[in-house]
Amino acid sequence: MDVSTRGGKRLLNRDDWMRAALEAVAEGGVAAVAVDRLAKQLGATRGSFYWHFRDRRELIDASLEKWESEHTTELMPEVDAIADPVERLRYLFREVYEQAVDPIEVALASAAGEPLVAPVVARVTNTRLAFLRRIFRDLGLARREAADRAWLAYAFYVGHHELATNDELRKSQPNRLDLIIDLLTAPSARKEMRR
Amino acid sequence: MDVSTRGGKRLLNRDDWMRAALEAVAEGGVAAVAVDRLAKQLGATRGSFYWHFRDRRELIDASLEKWESEHTTELMPEVDAIADPVERLRYLFREVYEQAVDPIEVALASAAGEPLVAPVVARVTNTRLAFLRRIFRDLGLARREAADRAWLAYAFYVGHHELATNDELRKSQPNRLDLIIDLLTAPSARKEMRR
DNA sequence: ACCTGAACACCGTTCAAGT
DNA sequence: ACCTGAACACCGTTCAAGT
């Protein structure tokens, strides 16, 4: 944390650039991370940027990793304390369904295919899938069925937010979570229908 | 279809530019539509482009509308012929689940929030939601429940493809559709569980 | 050790001038 | 009617030179 100065101005460090980059991601997605704009914003030249980072790619890489470590394992312990698996799922979904979602998260999800973003998304997703599998295992489902439902649940979560970024479509969005929780946690449905 | 020439070279029209633009979208998303690159590709100058289109925005707009009218109502009549609503849903999901998806579709879905893309996505999605609602209505569900399940089904579809663009994650993807169809078409689950 | 300033390539947009 | 070529602003990247 060396906060040196020169000629009155505070010298910049990697963290300053990364914070500015994450702000840009939140506002306009990864594409909005422009070295030139950040430099102007921070009162420096582009040349200065290249002292701290090899290139734009490294800035984005480092920024997303920073975000990941700060945001991915955040509410996990809290949720883990809920014993009933259905309630645990309900809590999790209410959390992400009703509240405003982290704009960085949305930006990353909708750029999951880009080579810069893919590894971050993969790591975060795997953590969450493991968490969901635990829930369905605790519900008494077989390993494979639990894995499949976890995928279904997470795919729904991702798609839901993808669709919700579109103002027009948000109107069609159901406002009760119960149905979703019910369906996801239903006993093996096909068998149910046969009785 | 005026195919004029001058000095040996065929003159370009709007359609030539739009085709090139859609190719670019398929390969690298909307961001890859660069007037400069397209011009080089087509053997023309950037200046020429601005004879046919007001700006880059209009090119993308027109291209996506062209794609929409060609791809959105394509297999609807064919699917509509299937009488059993569960089978209709199964057919629809198998179609999009197993086969390689149109890369333009994927590119658009993952840019659903961008102002240029949003209206197209909204129109296509609304058409498909209506179609899904029909299926659940035919299954005997009430209007509201049918609407909610349609949203669930479509959100899953979008999220599934979002996740599948990530090579790492595709491994966790379940390879049987049955579970998903079963859950989506299950009779009201909460009640089932209570008996 | 950290930054500036100039340079170059790429891209969006405009416009006078050419055919 | 359709296109070229030059111009300008924006952005990524490099590098010699400054403090």
Side-chain angles (χ1 to χ4, degrees):
Chain A
M1 297 287 136
D2 36 309
V3 217
S4 334
T5 53
R6 179 158 76 201
K9 290 201 306 187
R10 202 171 67 77
L11 293 186
L12 297 173
N13 53 36
R14 282 174 68 94
D15 226 71
D16 295 320
W17 289 99
M18 292 195 286
R19 261 200 301 275
L22 284 175
E23 248 176 66
V25 171
E27 273 164 32
V30 179
V33 180
V35 176
D36 193 43
R37 208 176 310 141
L38 298 185
K40 267 170 200 149
Q41 215 172 282
L42 292 169
T45 59
R46 279 171 291 178
S48 153
F49 168 82
Y50 287 90
W51 173 258
H52 298 286
F53 297 89
R54 186 213 297 271
D55 52 17
R56 176 174 175 275
R57 188 202 144 83
E58 202 211 319
L59 168 66
I60 295 175
D61 246 33
S63 306
L64 295 185
E65 235 166 81
K66 178 181 147 84
W67 172 83
E68 186 186 351
S69 71
E70 285 170 5
H71 283 256
T72 196
T73 46
E74 216 167 46
L75 39 69
M76 290 304 175
E78 185 186 351
V79 180
D80 242 338
I82 305 173
D84 179 13
V86 178
E87 283 312 310
R88 214 184 310 151
L89 184 65
R90 191 185 306 279
Y91 181 90
L92 214 59
F93 265 66
R94 185 160 39 222
E95 205 62 22
V96 301
Y97 194 86
E98 281 168 5
Q99 267 155 53
V101 182
D102 181 1
I104 294 181
E105 163 115 32
V106 176
L108 292 186
S110 75
E114 284 173 35
L116 276 167
V117 178
V120 185
V121 172
R123 281 194 303 271
V124 172
T125 302
N126 279 326
T127 305
R128 291 174 179 176
L129 279 176
F131 198 84
L132 287 168
R133 279 195 293 268
R134 246 315 284 299
I135 290 181
F136 290 113
R137 285 291 276 160
D138 288 355
L139 260 173
L141 295 178
R143 200 186 306 283
R144 177 157 173 200
E145 176 118 24
D148 288 352
R149 293 212 195 191
W151 176 271
L152 174 61
Y154 198 68
F156 164 74
Y157 160 75
V158 170
H160 176 80
H161 282 115
E162 193 67 58
L163 293 175
T165 56
N166 194 306
D167 287 331
E168 255 251 64
L169 293 175
R170 212 182 0 254
K171 285 176 289 179
S172 314
Q173 167 185 343
N175 46 13
R176 34 191 208 114
L177 259 177
D178 296 340
L179 166 92
I180 292 147
I181 304 292
D182 284 1
L183 286 180
L184 289 174
T185 60
S188 199
R190 183 70 26 199
K191 283 174 217 145
E192 275 310 302
M193 287 179 84
R194 286 218 187 94
R195 325 202 215 119
Chain B
M1 297 290 137
D2 36 307
V3 217
S4 333
T5 54
R6 177 157 81 201
K9 291 201 304 189
R10 202 172 67 77
L11 293 185
L12 297 173
N13 53 37
R14 282 175 67 94
D15 226 71
D16 295 319
W17 289 98
M18 290 194 287
R19 262 198 302 274
L22 284 176
E23 248 176 65
V25 171
E27 274 164 32
V30 179
V33 180
V35 175
D36 193 42
R37 208 177 309 141
L38 298 185
K40 267 171 199 146
Q41 215 171 282
L42 292 169
T45 59
R46 279 172 291 177
S48 153
F49 167 81
Y50 287 89
W51 173 258
H52 298 285
F53 297 88
R54 186 211 297 268
D55 52 17
R56 177 175 176 272
R57 188 202 145 82
E58 202 211 320
L59 169 66
I60 294 176
D61 246 31
S63 306
L64 295 185
E65 235 166 81
K66 179 181 148 84
W67 171 83
E68 186 187 350
S69 70
E70 284 170 5
H71 284 256
T72 195
T73 45
E74 219 167 41
L75 41 67
M76 288 305 173
E78 184 185 350
V79 181
D80 241 339
I82 305 174
D84 179 13
V86 178
E87 284 311 311
R88 214 183 311 151
L89 185 64
R90 191 185 305 281
Y91 181 90
L92 214 58
F93 266 67
R94 186 160 41 221
E95 204 62 23
V96 300
Y97 194 87
E98 281 169 5
Q99 267 156 50
V101 182
D102 180 2
I104 294 182
E105 163 115 29
V106 176
L108 293 185
S110 75
E114 286 173 32
L116 276 167
V117 179
V120 186
V121 172
R123 279 194 304 270
V124 172
T125 301
N126 278 325
T127 306
R128 292 174 179 176
L129 280 176
F131 198 84
L132 287 168
R133 278 194 295 267
R134 247 314 285 300
I135 289 181
F136 290 113
R137 284 291 275 162
D138 287 357
L139 260 174
L141 295 178
R143 199 186 308 282
R144 177 159 172 198
E145 175 119 25
D148 289 351
R149 291 213 195 189
W151 175 271
L152 174 61
Y154 198 68
F156 165 74
Y157 160 75
V158 170
H160 176 80
H161 282 115
E162 194 67 57
L163 293 175
T165 57
N166 194 305
D167 287 332
E168 254 250 63
L169 293 174
R170 217 190 346 264
K171 285 178 287 180
S172 314
Q173 166 185 343
N175 47 11
R176 37 194 202 109
L177 260 177
D178 295 342
L179 166 89
I180 292 147
I181 304 292
D182 284 1
L183 285 180
L184 289 175
T185 60
S188 197
R190 183 70 25 194
K191 281 174 218 145
E192 275 310 303
M193 287 181 82
R194 286 216 186 97
R195 355 187 199 118

